[in-house]
Amino acid sequence: MGRPTKIIPLPAGTSRRGFFKRSGSAAAVLAVAPLAPLTTSAQPVAPFQHGVASGDPLADRVILWTRVSPAAGRGAVTVSYVVATDPGLTQVVQRGVAKTNPGRDFTIKVDPTGLRPGTTYYYRFTVDGQNSPIGRTRTLPAGATPRVRLAVVSCSNHAFGYFNAYRRIAERADLDAVIHLGDYFYEYGTGQYGNLRTPEPAVETVTLSDYRTRHAQYKRDADSQAMLRQHPLIAIWDDHEVTNDSWRDGAQNHQPGTEGDWGTRVNVALQAYYEWMPVRLPDVTKRRENQRAFTFGNLLELVMLEQRLSGRSQQLPATIPTPFGNGFVQTGAFADPARTLLGAPQEAWLANRLRTTGARWKFLGQGVMFAQIKLQAAPLAQGGGVFANSDQWDGYQPARDRVYAMFKGDANNAPVNNCVVLTGDIHSSWAADLTQDPNNPNTATGGYNAMTGEGSRAVEFVGTSVTSPGLADPTGSTAALLRSINPHFKYIQLTQRGYMLMDVTPDKTVGEWWFVDTVDSISNVQTFAAAYEAQNGSNRLTVSAQTTPRPNPPALAP
Ligand SMILES: [Fe+2]
């Protein structure tokens, strides 16, 4: 997300640069010596040093991924793979071979079909007689589905520290999948945004070689390998997978004069993305349009939205001074209905998915905050107040109203209940009732009752970052101030790193926030922080309790 901007007065000695507009060279971090390289030229290259991964599970198939590191000068390489129902790989259900070559950076992606729904599988690749680590994955359930458990992550910046959150997720054996909501990697060069670990290459990623090298570094991370080896990934990109504050025709962190044509940069970034991520390419002729849907039986429909490259209109500047920094109001260009985050085709696709799914719960996995963050409160009848961040849905109010229209229904379409928005991007933790007029207490005129939640049409769970910096708020005073202006938020925590856990049953969806104690070093400490739930049919949040793990989960991969 966006440019560094001061929003709220800071306690002495802290920095909020890049928080609401998260990016740039923000918070101070510890400097340490770079890690030693994994191999030297005198050693043979391990063939599977980037681990294994799986992703985009469906009821009958799942993508299996790896990358081979062949001897220098080698051309095409043939890799075999095996899929089994046991961690010892004795109950084999599929075998196959796949070819790779320098044209796809020696990455391998296979998509075996004919698998059984709701089933855990184990898999392994082999090349030149050498085996990869054993991976574990799971297909989506079909039919009557009593429960789904998902981990949700975003904003995993290698330069800002260690992926302890990934390791904690790897240890959870009872998950159906891991959802990554974007900023899987960051494009910056050495010292530009985090300096706890040194990026490869040292420069900002611009060329195909740059993007491949950065992806390779992230895939060599041990905690990342642990998570991707144990669970299928369902990922969308946000902006940093290409560059900061991207939109359809450009980005804040793209300078055509020195970095070349925008379309070329997007093409090479997405080429590397599809090579290195266990993501199914929906249409080879439309690589920017990677919105996808995942059906967990009759319980959950998960739609993953593309909000940067296929349709998004350019961000508008915030120019109105407030005591907290510059904001903006919903007038002028901000009120232009032609502006869009999703683009018209994806809006129509989303409406169709929401209206036609037979699943009880509808999750919208997406990048930027859907709920309003206001710096000055006012009901819509008095202009709606002053908003903080024009890169998120607040900057695209008419487009957001079109999504509300899907929730609310109309003469031709029934209301869509049980919608749950999942969000990353903002490096902090929030729970929100979704209502169009949160500062209007009169529900008879479309307002919202903060005590009862009446007037809420859906709910939002915003997960904090894996490593990217949040905001120093040691006493919680900033969170309290934001809640006083924005009564639709039930929970705001601005300082911690970690992940979310979603527990979905027919009666309710519970979202839990789990925090790690540090990202400055490898640590196994995590803390349950809070839980909120939406009950079936309520479309609003209430305080919940920590859920219990599933009994007898399938064994983790050895
Ligand atoms: Fe981020």
Side-chain angles (χ1 to χ4, degrees), residues 40-225:
T40 71
S41 57
Q43 297 171 326
V45 176
F48 294 107
Q49 60 185 275
H50 300 93
V52 298
S54 68
D56 280 8
L58 301 178
D60 68 339
R61 69 194 68 187
V62 60
I63 290 206
L64 309 179
W65 178 95
T66 193
R67 197 261 184 182
V68 293
S69 301
R74 194 152 167 194
V77 176
T78 299
V79 177
S80 62
Y81 66 92
V82 60
V83 182
T85 54
D86 64 309
L89 304 180
T90 63
Q91 307 297 314
V92 173
V93 297
Q94 292 213 19
R95 295 180 191 274
V97 294
K99 287 184 164 54
T100 188
N101 58 59
R104 49 177 302 124
D105 204 14
F106 293 104
T107 57
I108 296 270
K109 206 186 279 191
V110 298
D111 198 4
T113 59
L115 303 178
R116 297 205 319 265
T119 302
T120 295
Y121 290 97
Y122 302 82
Y123 61 94
R124 186 174 67 190
F125 296 91
T126 302
V127 64
D128 297 337
Q130 292 188 268
N131 292 329
S132 75
I134 295 173
R136 170 185 180 267
T137 191
R138 187 170 174 83
T139 50
L140 298 189
T145 301
R147 190 179 186 190
V148 166
R149 272 166 78 81
L150 304 164
V152 181
V153 289
S154 63
C155 298
S156 39
N157 184 330
H158 191 273
F160 261 108
Y162 292 91
F163 299 152
N164 292 321
Y166 281 178
R167 182 69 71 164
R168 301 288 80 74
I169 292 168
E171 294 165 349
R172 291 183 177 272
D174 69 339
L175 302 178
D176 289 275
V178 176
I179 298 174
H180 201 302
L181 296 174
D183 293 354
Y184 174 87
F185 91 6
Y186 284 71
E187 80 277 17
Y188 296 105
T190 301
Q192 293 178 339
Y193 188 48
N195 57 7
L196 196 97
R197 298 197 280 184
T198 303
E200 300 172 9
V203 298
E204 179 183 328
T205 54
V206 176
T207 69
L208 177 59
S209 173
D210 294 339
Y211 281 102
R212 284 171 164 174
T213 301
R214 188 65 55 85
H215 272 287
Q217 181 183 33
Y218 277 61
K219 283 291 190 297
R220 285 202 313 276
D221 177 90
D223 298 313
S224 173
Q225 288 191 4

Side-chain angles (χ1 to χ4, degrees), residues 1 22 154-156 182-183 186 193 238-240 425-427 465 468:
M1 82 170 182
R22 63 339 23 154
S154 63
C155 298
S156 39
D183 293 354
Y186 284 71
Y193 188 48
D238 193 24
D239 51 343
H240 290 287
D425 176 69
I426 197 165
H427 309 172
S465 60
S468 291

Side-chain angles (χ1 to χ4, degrees), residues 110 328 407 548 555:
V110 298
F328 62 95
F407 297 159
T548 54

